[in-house]
Amino acid sequence: MSAKLSHRYRTQYTYLMQTVVTILIAVFCLTPMFYILSTSLKPRGAEYMIPLELWPSKPTLQAYRAVLGIVEEAELASESKGSMVLPADQARIVKSLSFVTPLRNSLIVSSAVAAFSLLISSLSAYAIARLRFRYKIQSLIFLQLGAMIPIAVTIAPTFMLMRSLGLLRTLLAMIIPNIFYNVPMSTWLIACYFAELPFDLEDAAKVDGYKPIQIFWKVIIPLAAPGLFSAGVFAFLGSWGEFMLASAVSMGIPAVQTVPAAMLNFSVQFRYEWTWISAAIILSVALVAFMTLVFQRWVIRGLTAGAVKY
Amino acid sequence: MAGVRVEGLLKKFGNVTALDHVSLEFEDGQLTVLVGPSGCGKTTLLRIIAGLEDATGGSVFIGHEAVNQVPPWERNIAMVFQSYALYPHMTVFDNIAFPLRARKISKAEVKQRVEQTAALLGLSELLQRKPRQLSGGQMQRVALGRAIVRKPEVFLMDEPLSNLDAKLRVEMRAELKRLQKDLGVTTIYVTHDQAEAMTMADKLVVMRGGVIQQMGEPEEVYSHPRNTFVGGFIGSPAMNFIRCSVDCAEAELHAPDFQCKAPSRFVEALRRRGKDSVILGVRPEDLKVLASFEEGAVPATVYISEPMGKEMLLTVEVGGALAKAITPTNVRPRIGETVWLTFDEACVHLFDSETDEALPTE
Ligand SMILES: Nc1ncnc2c1ncn2[C@@H]1O[C@H](COP(=O)(O)OP(=O)(O)OP(=O)(O)O)[C@@H](O)[C@H]1O
Ligand SMILES: [Mg+2]
């Protein structure tokens, strides 16, 4: 009886400690985010007010409208008093700063990277998990080795390659390399899913009258959907945050900058406009945070699925 | 519809020979049962006929066509897998419809045929469920439905009842046999359950270690097993074997504990053979257990008795070996008691003690 009690006491204690530590870590990580969020909701100039406001007394979406380029002239005129930028320049600047283009570019790049790396890696994962060929393990290891080279090392050759292909200053220069950055990891994740499917299913489909490529689409892919999904989310998030290559190949042209590259430009250009910078940060994180929250169930399943195979 | 013929099939997995020059003919419209112990190559044979595995040597014919080069999706064979192999992401309806959809059949006809098949198998209520929402017996029937919804040339069934409970298995094997007769499709049925084999087969094929031991009608295989393996494998409980020495002059067999007259139909063979030992085989159902001595009866000690309802399975010790006998329940000897065994010489089987082959009769 007493052993049981002390056991329960100990598990409760462990639980309590876990919760406390989790909260501490969360507070540590989220405090800057909170302050950025709070700043992004302040009226322009209010971020310099002393005493510092932890949360704006009159929250406004003004900064978001500015960053998204939907500020009205009247609003600008009334707000411009005490600002460090001359009213005459306001309209021109707001037009040019629109954060819509980088957000759109990032969405295009990340979706394309996710889609194409899924296509390629589901096929290569199928080969690794299912087909018999020589040097299978070696090719798998080779593929994973490729993933271990830091982007910093490959960036110069990649840049030169993109230049020779005439792809500099285009989104393709970000899409193509990012696909290949993601293929090793996606292949691994998806192969672990494929490996768990019983061979009999494929044999049954063959006897039922389907050719291997049809079986791949009608049986294998639907059954590995959770694995494909998490691989897709990884590829999406990975290319969303990719900065080095994006800033190199976009060469400072706003029309082809993705969010991380545009962010740098933006914070240099408007280094005193903290409400705008904060709003831009929140916007670029919000989409990713949303995706992660919604899909984390799949992501976690995808990561643990391979834990015991191979 | 078509018969199936395999010729000189050889299959090696590395240095394991799974099939050793197997030649067989499966007649058009018949149900042939392949039976044998685990690992004897039954599944391998089915998979080669289906085209899922390449033979190391030999050929497969469906009808009159050699199909070695034909991939499985073009062979028009339906197979029931031992593991069911239902598609987990599809409903029962879609599972059954899957082979039809590979064949450019109109939507209306697919629906009609799936519903007809489902009704036949009692699955009508379950069409919208996913496989994981079904019991083992229901999954079994879906797997069957997926095979019979088509009109294939050949059915291959790999231990399709092995995962069912005893009662359902007995029910389903009757259903299956009936279905096969109605459809008249050449069927190759694998099992390692000899009772299933006996009851279902038009033709019975007994395999061991990749080699065909005997092929024939079930009664034929039962009453004239070609060697001790077949004798021991077909029939339950298994045939009793006792090694005897032969006294040719007197036409007598001498076991350690008893002796008996050699059945007259074997005398000629025993004499011609001239060896001095032989294996005597008697089925438990042919052994008669007596409570008291009679002329020619053999003494035995009761080792254990197992009531089976209608009958009693008796294990007795004869000459240092155990033998089994089936007796009516009114004979109820206790453990350690002495009983007397007799058998009709017409039921005796004799096998060569070196080759294990049955001796020829007159
Ligand atoms: N893919 C394979 N690789 C290597 N050996 C195999 C393979 N498939 C089967 N074998 C071997 O071939 C032999 C025959 O196997 P098979 O599956 O045909 O037996 P089976 O008669 O169906 O047995 P069971 O009644 O247990 O299903 C066995 O010794 C098995 O170990
Ligand atoms: Mg088998």
Side-chain angles (χ1 to χ4, degrees), chain A residues 132 200-212 214-215 218-220 222-223, chain B residues 47 52 72-73 77-79 81 83 85-89 98-99 101-103 146 150:
Chain A
R132 265 176 287 172
D200 272 359
L201 288 182
E202 281 156 84
D203 287 342
K206 280 185 201 164
V207 177
D208 282 346
Y210 290 87
K211 297 185 176 70
Q214 295 172 309
I215 296 172
K218 289 181 197 239
V219 178
I220 304 295
L223 287 177
Chain B
R47 290 176 58 84
L52 296 171
W73 48 93
I77 276 177
M79 184 158 173
F81 289 75
S83 61
L86 301 182
Y87 309 114
H89 58 301
F98 198 62
R101 291 191 175 134
R103 292 183 167 70
R146 194 173 61 187
R150 299 158 50 183

Side-chain angles (χ1 to χ4, degrees), chain B residues 31 171-183 189 196-202 218:
Chain B
L31 194 159
E171 269 172 39
M172 286 292 294
R173 82 185 181 208
E175 297 265 332
L176 258 185
K177 186 168 181 180
R178 180 64 208 257
L179 196 69
Q180 194 271 335
K181 289 284 160 275
D182 286 349
L183 299 172
Y189 187 103
E196 212 169 285
M198 284 296 290
T199 52
M200 295 192 68
D202 293 321

Side-chain angles (χ1 to χ4, degrees), chain B residues 179-252:
Chain B
L179 196 69
Q180 194 271 335
K181 289 284 160 275
D182 286 349
L183 299 172
V185 175
T186 311
T187 302
I188 307 175
Y189 187 103
V190 162
T191 179
H192 57 224
D193 176 338
Q194 62 83 34
E196 212 169 285
M198 284 296 290
T199 52
M200 295 192 68
D202 293 321
K203 276 277 167 59
L204 189 59
V205 177
V206 185
M207 291 179 73
R208 175 172 63 161
V211 180
I212 304 295
Q213 302 291 306
Q214 187 167 1
M215 170 162 189
E217 282 163 17
E219 295 77 17
E220 162 76 13
V221 176
Y222 177 82
S223 53
H224 297 289
R226 192 176 290 163
N227 56 32
T228 51
F229 174 77
V230 176
F233 197 80
I234 299 297
S236 173
M239 186 183 276
N240 300 303
F241 296 106
I242 300 165
R243 184 176 284 266
C244 300
S245 57
V246 182
D247 182 343
C248 277
E250 302 286 326
E252 271 185 350

